[in-house]
Amino acid sequence: MTKCWIKSIILMLFFVVSAGCAKTEKLRVLWPPLPDTPRLEWLGIYYSEGDFPKSQREAAMQSVIGDSGFDYFGRPFGIAADGKGVVYVSDADQRVIKVFDFNRRQVSRFGNGRRFQNPLGLAVDSRGNLYVVEGVSAKVLVFSADQRPLFSFGGEDVFKKPVQLALNETLGRIYVSDGAGHRIAVFDMEGKHLFSFGNQGGGDGEFYSPQGLAIDRENRLFVADQFNARIQVFDADGSFLYKFGERGDRQWNFEFPKDLAFDSDGNLHVLDMRKAALITYRPDGTLLLYTGGQATIEPVGFSMPVSLWIDQNDQIYIADSLNRRFAHWRYFSDEYLRQNPFDSATIRQQEELLKKKMVQ
């Protein structure tokens, strides 16, 4: 699909969302639209507690009292989810972590409003522990699922300014990107520093402000090498394997790759901050999807997206810094599509909406 076609589809989806506000029938926002096989579904954007689904009574009440009491973002940065309905978002300006509980439809501040120095990247392990990268103190702070401090690790003797992290619980390792130090630091699950690798440069195994990290099923580490506009791949011990991507305006090119994550099918999703796009590659390296591609304030789109998290249920969460919100998407795995074919009503709905957009 061309970029112009992508933009027109995003506009169409905006009209779908707007139309949904006036109808009782829920309109589904699928990407790519039928008759192609949809692989993503847009589920919503969240600025505050006011964006949770509401009953008619709750919506009427909010229209009367307004939304002045809601806790809005200053500058969302890191994002992570426990896969059970709780999403954590670090706010670098307000120096707090906000907890969006989709089960209770409530928002709270982590640790009874605990102030951090500079909360950046986040991660959640299989026990529900939360890992918080602190840019100023150059440490990673670890908290239990009930928000108790457990331990911290790192420090200025290891990092210049850590940014993001990835957990490999299979091997018992934690990988942390050091954006200012242009390297990756590796720890065990208790926070003991094992080794670091990389230095500043453009050669194989060198970095220019590494950011997001992701680990595949083969325990390979994928690194968003931001200012080199590429993805580098290493084995678990930090040995360079290969790289891909280059700077450019084609859909498969990068400008500022900021974060990345894998879905259950092994597809790699790369968040490009400058392109305001989510670029999805199949395991064989071919382009599967290009989502976004134009900075926008519209609901379906991004403007300076900075962090990405995909949980075990293929729920996708994207921190959208400039728009001061996060987006919620869902990836349709091959297994999901086999077990949940789109019903005739959804197919008709999508076809009608597409026709309406094509004749406007």
Side-chain angles (χ1 to χ4, degrees), residues 38-324:
R39 302 312 300 247
L40 296 178
E41 181 173 13
W42 181 87
L43 299 177
I45 51 175
Y46 293 85
Y47 296 88
S48 71
E49 185 173 314
D51 296 304
F52 284 123
K54 303 173 187 63
S55 65
Q56 289 185 346
R57 180 180 179 183
E58 290 170 331
M61 182 66 69
Q62 183 175 324
S63 67
V64 172
I65 64 176
D67 55 6
S68 59
F70 293 135
D71 189 3
Y72 290 94
F73 289 111
R75 180 166 60 93
F77 188 91
I79 193 163
D82 67 357
K84 300 176 182 178
V86 176
V87 179
Y88 302 94
V89 186
S90 63
D91 192 316
D93 279 357
Q94 298 177 2
R95 297 186 292 117
V96 298
I97 294 172
K98 298 185 179 180
V99 184
F100 282 70
D101 189 329
F102 279 73
N103 302 308
R104 298 179 179 180
R105 295 185 297 159
Q106 294 177 349
V107 178
S108 61
R109 292 194 171 192
F110 186 87
N112 293 318
R114 174 184 176 132
R115 290 276 180 171
F116 296 83
Q117 289 182 284
N118 182 216
L120 298 174
L122 304 177
V124 177
D125 67 20
S126 59
R127 294 173 294 179
N129 296 327
L130 177 68
Y131 297 70
V132 182
V133 176
E134 272 269 23
V136 171
S137 66
K139 291 183 178 181
V140 177
L141 312 181
V142 186
F143 299 87
S144 65
D146 59 3
Q147 304 185 11
R148 292 178 297 106
L150 296 178
F151 62 95
S152 64
F153 59 91
E156 295 180 353
D157 58 332
V158 180
F159 300 117
K160 287 188 176 180
K161 187 171 184 179
V163 184
Q164 294 280 12
L165 76 162
L167 310 178
N168 187 333
E169 295 184 74
T170 302
L171 298 182
R173 289 184 175 180
I174 304 170
Y175 298 84
V176 185
S177 61
D178 187 351
H182 311 289
R183 59 180 175 261
I184 308 298
V186 187
F187 303 82
D188 67 18
M189 295 304 294
E190 285 72 48
K192 178 184 177 182
H193 183 220
L194 301 177
F195 60 92
S196 297
F197 63 93
N199 55 269
Q200 186 172 5
D204 294 347
E206 296 179 329
F207 302 107
Y208 193 180
S209 189
Q211 300 287 309
L213 308 170
I215 298 165
D216 72 359
R217 297 168 181 170
E218 299 176 24
N219 295 312
R220 296 179 298 185
L221 177 70
F222 288 65
V223 181
D225 191 2
Q226 180 177 232
F227 293 131
N228 281 326
R230 64 188 182 182
I231 306 300
Q232 294 201 73
V233 186
F234 302 83
D235 69 15
D237 296 321
S239 296
F240 174 81
L241 297 176
Y242 64 94
K243 63 188 176 186
F244 66 93
E246 59 183 358
R247 195 177 308 280
D249 58 4
R250 299 295 184 98
Q251 289 184 0
W252 53 86
N253 293 145
F254 299 122
E255 292 188 33
F256 277 12
K258 193 71 174 178
D259 205 1
L260 62 176
F262 286 97
D263 61 38
S264 63
D265 283 337
N267 301 310
L268 177 65
H269 300 253
V270 180
L271 195 64
D272 192 297
M273 182 177 71
R274 188 166 182 176
K275 283 191 168 187
L278 182 65
I279 310 170
T280 305
Y281 296 89
R282 296 183 180 89
D284 64 6
T286 58
L287 183 67
L288 174 62
L289 289 173
Y290 186 88
T291 308
Q294 180 185 31
T296 179
I297 63 171
E298 293 168 359
V300 184
F302 320 109
S303 183
M304 199 176 289
V306 290
S307 288
L308 166 70
W309 183 270
I310 303 178
D311 70 15
Q312 60 267 36
N313 306 310
D314 281 329
Q315 302 291 306
I316 302 173
Y317 303 94
I318 298 172
D320 192 358
S321 180
L322 195 58
N323 281 330
R324 299 183 181 184

